[in-house]
């Protein structure tokens, strides 16, 4: 467990550099220039914990015709044809011992940018905002939300 935590901390320190992704997807291109709403690709299915990654068939609604000569789109088309998920490298992730819900925060009026920065300007996804315990607690303090240990953790040992 201790080793696991050290690993989590070590990864956390490096997280500001964009990790390598299996396909060169750009938010700047899709959410910025094409102005696609976040919800085109990130839905929030019940119970609302996750925003999820888009299914490849969603990408293919456009890319079956757009840029089919691009090697990146050919990689995408292969995943879609094989009905395999693209193994995107995660950028934001909290350990499993932390309670987390997107829905609770969105219902309370939080914006994507509060926790992920200005995503529509990013060519490569990188960690723009901390999701450390301190960052969570800072907003909870400001919004007068509980910071009891048991609010975010069941038990720690
Ligand atoms: C056309 C589809 C599409 C749209 C529109 C889109 N995204 Fe994404 N998003 C993706 C894909 C694919 C990934 C995984 C690849 C990557 O990280 O760049 C991703 C990754 C992310 C991640 C990183 C998740 C993680 O932990 O790895 C965040 C945060 C995110 N998107 C937020 C947003 C926000 C906020 C918007 C709207 C401003 C948005 N996205 C619009 C497809 C999209
Ligand atoms: C209050 C902070 C907060 C807000 C607001 C927020 N996120 Fe997140 N997001 C996180 C955290 C923390 C994670 C990591 C969760 C985990 O490990 O499961 C995350 C993970 C993600 C992921 C990776 C897949 C997943 O669901 O774990 C995507 C995609 C994402 N967020 C998109 C969005 C979009 C789009 C919005 C706005 C509609 C948004 N987020 C709003 C904090 C936030
Ligand atoms: C609404 C239509 C639409 C959707 C949905 C869409 N794209 Fe795109 N995508 C585009 C357009 C338009 C371009 C820019 C093409 C150009 O440069 O002429 C593009 C460009 C790209 C490129 C750059 C290709 C290159 O070599 O220049 C990649 C990679 C890509 N998209 C991946 C994805 C992925 C992965 C998804 C699903 C998560 C997705 N797209 C969803 C319309 C879309
Ligand atoms: C932008 C401000 C903000 C940030 C950042 C934030 N929270 Fe919250 N959080 C809130 C608000 C506001 C509520 C109250 C929602 C309500 O009243 O139901 C809340 C509620 C919660 C809840 C209760 C959820 C439920 O089901 O009722 C948990 C658990 C939680 N936050 C964990 C976290 C964790 C873990 C992080 C960091 C990864 C975090 N929060 C970051 C504002 C924030
Ligand atoms: C608002 C949510 C929240 C509250 C309240 C909270 N934590 Fe955390 N805690 C987190 C998150 C998120 C992480 C994971 C940080 C990361 O990504 O490494 C964490 C990680 C930890 C860790 C692992 C070591 C570390 O620092 O990463 C310990 C131990 C811990 N918390 C103890 C506590 C104790 C004790 C309390 C009460 C004083 C508490 N937490 C209250 C969100 C919270």
């Amino acid at each position: 467990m201790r080793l696991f935590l050290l690993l989590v901390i070590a990864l956390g320190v490096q997280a500001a550099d964009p990790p390598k992704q299996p396909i060169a997807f750009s938010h700047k291109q899709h959410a910025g220039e094409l102005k696609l709403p976040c919800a085109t690709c990130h839905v929030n299915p019940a119970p609302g914990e996750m925003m999820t990654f888009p299914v490849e068939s969603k990408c293919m609604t456009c890319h079956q015709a757009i840029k089919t000569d691009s090697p990146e789109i050919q990689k995408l088309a292969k995943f879609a044809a094989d009905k395999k998920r693209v193994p995107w490298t995660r950028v934001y992730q909290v350990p499993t011992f932390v309670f987390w819900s997107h829905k609770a925060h969105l219902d309370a009026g939080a914006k994507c940018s509060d926790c992920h920065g200005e995503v529509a300007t990013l060519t490569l996804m990188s960690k723009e905002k901390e999701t450390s315990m301190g960052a969570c607690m800072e907003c909870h303090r400001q919004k007068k939300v509980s910071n009891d240990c048991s609010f975010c953790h069941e038990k720690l040992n």
Side-chain angles (χ1 to χ4, degrees):
M1 185 63 185
R2 175 144 306 162
L3 193 66
F4 168 72
L5 287 175
L6 285 174
L7 189 67
V8 167
I9 291 160
L11 289 172
V13 170
Q14 296 169 1
D17 288 336
K20 193 158 170 39
Q21 295 290 355
I23 294 173
F25 175 81
S26 160
H27 277 87
K28 186 175 182 210
Q29 198 161 42
H30 292 85
E33 286 150 26
L34 294 171
K35 296 191 165 54
L36 298 178
C38 313
T40 312
C41 296
H42 302 295
V43 294
N44 188 214
E49 200 177 307
M50 307 276 291
M51 291 306 301
T52 71
F53 294 93
V55 289
E56 290 61 31
S57 57
K58 171 65 114 191
C59 313
M60 292 311 287
T61 55
C62 291
H63 285 295
Q64 136 166 303
I66 295 171
K67 277 266 170 174
T68 51
D69 56 341
S70 152
E72 296 301 311
I73 298 303
Q74 285 159 8
K75 275 194 261 173
L76 170 67
K78 172 108 171 69
F79 280 107
D82 295 348
K83 297 207 163 32
K84 288 215 182 103
R85 299 307 316 263
V86 177
W88 301 113
T89 306
R90 289 294 302 266
V91 175
Y92 290 89
Q93 205 157 27
V94 290
T96 51
F97 58 81
V98 177
F99 295 146
W100 171 250
S101 163
H102 269 96
K103 185 171 188 299
H105 288 89
L106 297 173
D107 286 353
K111 301 270 169 287
C112 311
S113 55
D114 291 342
C115 302
H116 299 302
E118 298 304 326
V119 166
T121 66
L122 300 178
T123 302
L124 291 174
M125 174 56 59
S126 64
K127 196 169 182 184
E128 301 287 288
K129 298 261 184 177
E130 281 301 320
T131 50
S132 62
M133 177 160 129
C136 307
M137 287 176 117
E138 178 57 31
C139 185
H140 280 204
R141 202 169 317 153
Q142 282 173 19
K143 308 270 182 195
K144 304 197 172 8
V145 178
S146 171
N147 267 331
D148 291 347
C149 311
S150 62
F151 198 68
C152 298
H153 304 294
E154 192 156 15
K155 68 171 198 268
L156 292 154
N157 49 37

